[in-house]
Amino acid sequence: LEGLNLETRALYTNLFGEYIFRPTADWTVTSGLRGAYFSDGSFVRIEPRLSVERRLSDQLYAQVGTGRYHQFLTLVTNEAFSGLDVWLSAAENVRPSYGDQVVAGLKFTPNAGIRVEWEAYYRTMRDLFSLNPFLPDVAGLAYEDLFHVGEGYATGSEVFIQGWIGPFSGFVGYTFGLTKRRFPTINENAYYPPKYDRTHDLNVTGTARITKKWEFTSVFSYATGQAYTRPASRYRLGNSPFEAEDTDVLVSPFNGARLPAYHRLDIGFTRRGKLFGAESELQLQVINAYNRRNIWFYFYDFQQDGSITRDVVPQIPVPVPNISYTLRF
């Protein structure tokens, strides 16, 4: 986007009203209406919401809900490297995205020491506006000509379990999700997973109180590898062996490959006390405790013989110690 100024200023305001109706002690119906205004394009959008909760017993609740949601921003991300991600906004002739979502779930509290929540969802995505990656040159283009427009959907299920047993506490959160998008200019309008799609996402946190002052904490994370587009081969075109040649790269289907699964363990000790009347907290942590070499991105180098070599850029290649000391006055 060299030579293109994407800086913009816009006013975003919203107003929300809610009404809660309880026809009986076991039923709760919540209706809502949100109005949103985005000044760049003078967009006015209305978003209705509705949820119903049913108490099945003192320990078990069921919920269903639906609503419409609008998105006035879109993420522009490098498919290989996420450090330069930026956001662009809707504008005149660039309509905001919107989607309708349906959610159903259960909340179960069998006793005072455990809580279980389950939720399933489905969401549509319409008028997705995204920077067109196939523009040969953006110089002189109007803002609306930078984008292509598509659609998508997301569906999945989430489970959250939280518990407290004596000095031990923690939670487990797991999500199975599928997110797909499609644009006329990509993969012949076939659905593909966007960069931040994660089929499996698991987080486990545990805390153990060792003494009145010392506490041990561990955090484990696991996620399906990030989708990316893998270079497959390279070809050259030229009129003769003595003339300069043009080079292009053939790639696999857009986001048709994935990085290896991401997982990491962080552990730490915390000591709480007092110093000169102020509350103090000492934290000793080790990030990436078992030295997992998660891949940040692949770097490809194109050789003169037509071959492609691949180098790995890791996120945190070694365990990283961390020490912090906090005083609260």
Side-chain angles (χ1 to χ4, degrees), residues 222-243:
Y222 174 93
T224 299
Q226 174 182 295
Y228 77 102
T229 305
R230 178 177 54 212
S233 60
R234 186 173 77 161
Y235 66 88
R236 293 183 175 182
L237 298 176
N239 294 325
S240 76
F242 306 102
E243 295 181 358

Side-chain angles (χ1 to χ4, degrees), residues 121 153-158 174-180 193 196-201 224 258:
Y121 64 90
Y153 68 89
T155 185
S157 182
E158 301 177 355
Y174 169 74
T175 300
F176 172 81
L178 298 174
T179 304
K180 302 291 184 180
Y196 292 110
D197 170 64
R198 299 289 184 269
T199 308
H200 304 282
D201 194 302
T224 299
R258 285 190 180 271

Side-chain angles (χ1 to χ4, degrees), residues 53-54 56 59-64 103-109 115-120 158-160:
E53 182 179 86
R54 171 75 159 93
L56 303 176
Q59 293 81 31
L60 182 62
Y61 290 79
Q63 291 179 317
V64 294
V103 180
L106 294 172
K107 295 182 179 179
F108 181 49
T109 309
R115 178 166 63 96
V116 181
E117 296 183 6
W118 168 83
E119 186 176 274
E158 301 177 355
V159 177
F160 180 82

Side-chain angles (χ1 to χ4, degrees), residues 47-203:
E47 302 174 335
R49 314 283 172 83
L50 178 66
S51 66
V52 179
E53 182 179 86
R54 171 75 159 93
R55 187 181 69 172
L56 303 176
S57 69
D58 291 340
Q59 293 81 31
L60 182 62
Y61 290 79
Q63 291 179 317
V64 294
T66 185
R68 170 160 289 192
Y69 302 83
H70 288 85
Q71 178 67 47
F72 296 91
L73 299 175
T74 185
L75 180 65
V76 179
T77 180
N78 186 295
E79 292 303 318
F81 175 63
S82 60
L84 300 177
D85 290 357
V86 296
W87 291 91
L88 296 181
S89 70
E92 188 175 357
N93 299 322
V94 182
R95 293 181 298 179
S97 307
Y98 72 95
D100 298 312
Q101 180 169 287
V102 178
V103 180
L106 294 172
K107 295 182 179 179
F108 181 49
T109 309
N111 55 59
I114 192 169
R115 178 166 63 96
V116 181
E117 296 183 6
W118 168 83
E119 186 176 274
Y121 64 90
Y122 180 83
R123 177 173 181 152
T124 62
M125 290 178 274
R126 307 294 184 189
D127 288 344
L128 289 174
F129 62 100
S130 180
L131 195 69
N132 189 343
F134 301 108
L135 292 176
D137 186 8
V138 299
L141 290 180
Y143 185 75
E144 60 267 21
D145 295 331
L146 299 175
F147 302 95
H148 55 177
V149 179
E151 62 180 7
Y153 68 89
T155 185
S157 182
E158 301 177 355
V159 177
F160 180 82
I161 303 173
Q162 186 175 20
W164 307 264
I165 302 175
F168 303 99
S169 63
F171 69 82
V172 177
Y174 169 74
T175 300
F176 172 81
L178 298 174
T179 304
K180 302 291 184 180
R181 296 183 176 185
R182 66 178 181 182
F183 293 86
T185 54
I186 296 179
N187 287 357
E188 298 181 346
N189 205 32
Y191 281 109
Y192 68 91
K195 176 180 177 179
Y196 292 110
D197 170 64
R198 299 289 184 269
T199 308
H200 304 282
D201 194 302
L202 174 68
N203 292 281

Side-chain angles (χ1 to χ4, degrees), residues 9-22:
R9 292 180 180 271
L11 173 67
Y12 172 67
T13 60
N14 61 74
L15 181 66
F16 180 72
E18 182 179 83
Y19 176 70
I20 300 176
F21 174 58
R22 295 184 176 89

